[in-house]
Amino acid sequence: METLSENLNVHFLPPLTTFKDKRVIVRVDWNMPVIDGKIEDTSRFDVSVPFLKELSFAGAKIILLTHFGGKGESLKPVADHACRALPFIKFLPSLNFEEIRGEVDTLPLGDAVLLENVRMFPGEEDNIPSLATAFSSLGDVFINDAFSVSHREHASVVGVARNSLSYFGPTFKRELEHLTDALKPVKPAILIIGGAKISTKLPLIKHYLDQGIHVFIGGAMAHNVWLARGLSIGKSFYDKNYTVPESIINHPLLLTPADVVLETRETAPYNKIPADAVVVDCGEETVKMLVNFIKNSKTIIFNGPLGLYEKGWLHGTEQVLVQVTESQAKTYLGGGDTVDVAHSLHLLKKFTFVSLGGGAMLAYLASGTLPGIDAVTKQ
Ligand code: 3PG
């Protein structure tokens, strides 16, 4: 089994008393779903709480950075929640670095200032050096505790880390410890992956097929494979800008649904999809087929819904999730939509590990690193 390298270990946190009277920048990911001003799922905030309390208790002066929602959206609803839950946090809704610096300079020991949504600062997503320098000049030390956004080469993720003495926070460390096990899983293993776009997931699929691991692809991604095999997918959605390479199409370890559910609620075998039909989910035969693999696996990695989630076609995903949690295997779950389904079925506690990252989990499992990791370790 892969263990975390020395290179990563040296960037785990020293005792927090080291940070007494130091200005500590902490990048968190508090990008949470908010409806009518109310946070629907506070998990990403909740995981930060124990660490921030300890850092405050240790006498650090904390500068909190996070992105949130769409580009121009104020962090206010999240900030209100954070300031209520942790009264040592003050929200500073300003994009003016003179004002921000003034606030940081007078910050009492143990207090924290939460900056406005980092994606409202011009240059965040292009990682422009002046913004990275402005952020890093606010602190003596940088802690990245936002694994779930560390696949982004943004100023508050990679720019600040490259300019600063940098560490991984505890949430990040947890993700690394578990997902490093999932990188080279104990075999037999299966990757169950769904969603719409096969083009972005190909490196991941290859990573597991190359290790002799079964990969089941569900959702609209399977449609691209069937099209490439010359089968009809009717009027179903597929990734139009992408042709699946020959080496994947007929790979003996690549699995696709055995049957499908159509928009009309009828089912059809995967190779008999009518010309005017739209596929919305995988069928019962597929679940039965997967149960065999699930029962025989020592590791199961699941990311992405197996049906048209946005339109409520959850049945296939739900059934497979239940089967996965009933297995004796080590089980890893990620991806916002899939985690939501597991959450509604009260299954989250039954997984070995639930990643807070969707895209970041996939990117890490495909390559064994992320831009945000390389920036901290200065690779
Ligand atoms: C997420 O929700 O997956 C992370 O917060 C990253 O957000 P992003 O996809 O907007 O970069």
Side-chain angles (χ1 to χ4, degrees):
M1 188 167 310
E2 186 110 329
T3 51
L4 288 174
S5 69
E6 192 56 27
N7 199 21
L8 291 178
N9 279 324
V10 295
H11 293 280
F12 293 146
L13 288 171
L16 296 189
T17 46
T18 318
F19 299 123
K20 181 166 192 259
D21 208 8
K22 293 270 189 305
R23 297 170 307 155
V24 182
I25 304 170
V26 184
R27 177 53 160 109
V28 287
D29 182 351
W30 289 348
N31 183 28
M32 296 176 286
V34 172
I35 297 177
D36 296 332
K38 187 177 171 289
I39 305 173
E40 293 292 295
D41 174 5
T42 58
S43 317
R44 283 183 171 175
F45 174 78
D46 300 342
V47 291
S48 303
V49 167
F51 171 55
L52 291 180
K53 278 186 177 166
E54 280 177 50
L55 198 55
S56 162
F57 187 71
K61 300 173 179 177
I62 307 163
I63 300 104
L64 288 164
L65 304 180
T66 183
H67 69 288
F68 168 66
K71 220 178 238 173
E73 258 178 279
S74 170
L75 188 63
K76 187 161 185 323
V78 169
D80 286 348
H81 178 82
C83 298
R84 252 195 322 272
L86 298 174
F88 59 84
I89 298 179
K90 176 181 174 187
F91 178 43
L92 182 61
S94 165
L95 304 183
N96 177 325
F97 272 96
E98 261 185 46
E99 200 182 329
I100 295 170
R101 219 161 277 127
E103 191 69 38
V104 171
D105 286 346
T106 55
L107 208 56
L109 298 195
D111 275 14
V113 59
L114 171 59
L115 300 200
E116 183 51 283
N117 177 2
V118 287
R119 292 191 187 168
M120 287 170 71
F121 289 81
E124 160 68 4
E125 284 161 272
D126 296 324
N127 185 21
I128 63 163
S130 55
L131 181 63
T133 306
F135 279 143
S136 51
S137 70
L138 298 174
D140 306 303
V141 183
F142 173 68
I143 298 174
N144 184 345
D145 208 22
F147 175 88
S148 45
V149 71
S150 287
H151 55 314
R152 307 281 185 216
E153 293 217 27
H154 293 177
S156 69
V157 178
V158 300
V160 190
R162 286 190 191 126
N163 291 344
S164 320
L165 173 61
S166 304
Y167 298 97
F168 298 111
T171 309
F172 206 123
K173 183 179 177 207
R174 224 175 130 245
E175 294 271 353
L176 282 175
E177 284 170 345
H178 285 281
L179 295 183
T180 303
D181 288 347
L183 259 182
K184 293 220 173 101
V186 180
K187 294 196 260 185
I190 184 167
L191 167 69
I192 301 172
I193 183 164
K197 294 223 162 149
I198 192 164
S199 46
T200 53
K201 290 167 186 163
L202 203 78
L204 178 77
I205 294 170
K206 248 187 108 328
H207 172 84
Y208 286 100
L209 289 177
D210 288 350
Q211 289 181 65
I213 287 168
H214 280 103
V215 175
F216 171 85
I217 60 175
M221 295 200 308
H223 305 164
N224 276 70
V225 175
W226 292 334
L227 268 184
R229 288 179 183 163
L231 296 169
S232 158
I233 59 162
K235 296 213 163 86
S236 312
F237 178 87
Y238 69 102
D239 195 346
K240 294 204 173 51
N241 303 317
Y242 192 68
T243 315
V244 187
E246 201 66 37
S247 56
I248 303 285
I249 300 168
N250 293 316
H251 198 291
L253 298 175
L254 186 77
L255 308 168
T256 56
D259 62 341
V260 291
V261 177
L262 309 174
E263 213 172 21
T264 54
R265 298 191 178 274
E266 291 158 306
T267 53
Y270 77 98
N271 53 1
K272 292 204 173 92
I273 299 170
D276 58 347
V278 175
V279 173
V280 291
D281 206 351
C282 57
E284 299 293 332
E285 290 307 314
T286 307
V287 178
K288 275 190 212 151
M289 172 189 94
L290 273 175
V291 167
N292 279 329
F293 286 97
I294 288 168
K295 277 195 181 137
N296 290 322
S297 291
K298 290 197 169 135
T299 314
I300 304 167
I301 302 155
F302 195 154
N303 186 314
L306 307 180
L308 198 52
Y309 173 86
E310 310 78 65
K311 296 206 171 152
W313 293 94
L314 306 179
H315 191 61
T317 309
E318 288 175 344
Q319 283 182 296
V320 176
L321 279 169
V322 169
Q323 294 298 333
V324 169
T325 54
E326 283 176 4
S327 85
Q328 300 300 310
K330 281 198 161 191
T331 50
Y332 301 87
L333 181 70
D337 297 344
T338 335
V339 173
D340 283 350
V341 181
H343 179 64
S344 64
L345 297 174
H346 307 286
L347 293 176
L348 290 182
K349 286 208 165 76
K350 296 190 172 177
F351 280 85
T352 307
F353 182 64
V354 178
S355 174
L356 287 169
M361 174 184 173
L362 295 178
Y364 180 73
L365 292 179
S367 68
T369 191
L370 293 175
I373 296 176
D374 293 344
V376 167
T377 59
K378 314 286 190 289
Q379 293 286 298

